[in-house]
Amino acid sequence: MNDQGHEEDQFVGEIRRRARRAQAAQHVTFWRGVNLVGTIGWMVSVPTVLGALIGRMIDSRFASGVFWTLSLLVAGVTLGCASAWRHVQ
């Protein structure tokens, strides 16, 4: 019975250690928050701008108005937002 109590103590200690680690990982400092905002900004803006530029090149080559520009712009925003969402999660 003493061995079982010792095992339970180790189990409880391990759970408490993991809980402290998870709590420390969730603590966001000012600079970590600034870093997160900057990273998310780049994750959304780069695919958006690339989509618009590639769409503009395609539209100018095939004289298709703004069809590809708008389509790839929306695709870039969608891809960037999905990427940022996954990063935050």
Side-chain angles (χ1 to χ4, degrees):
M1 185 121 131
N2 194 14
D3 288 336
Q4 184 180 4
H6 181 66
E7 288 177 12
E8 287 180 10
D9 289 342
Q10 286 180 339
F11 178 72
V12 171
E14 179 68 21
I15 295 298
R16 286 184 179 150
R17 186 176 63 80
R18 288 184 184 188
R20 282 192 301 268
R21 186 186 306 161
Q23 188 177 20
Q26 289 179 353
H27 180 69
V28 178
T29 64
F30 173 75
W31 292 111
R32 188 176 287 177
V34 169
N35 183 25
L36 181 65
V37 168
T39 302
I40 291 172
W42 281 106
M43 291 176 92
V44 174
S45 63
V46 168
T48 302
V49 170
L50 286 176
L53 289 174
I54 293 170
R56 188 74 177 135
M57 284 182 357
I58 294 171
D59 283 338
S60 66
R61 282 217 176 134
F62 299 111
S64 56
V66 293
F67 176 77
W68 287 108
T69 302
L70 292 178
S71 299
L72 292 179
L73 178 74
V74 170
V77 168
T78 304
L79 179 68
C81 288
S83 176
W85 182 262
R86 273 194 353 206
H87 182 72
V88 170
Q89 292 298 322

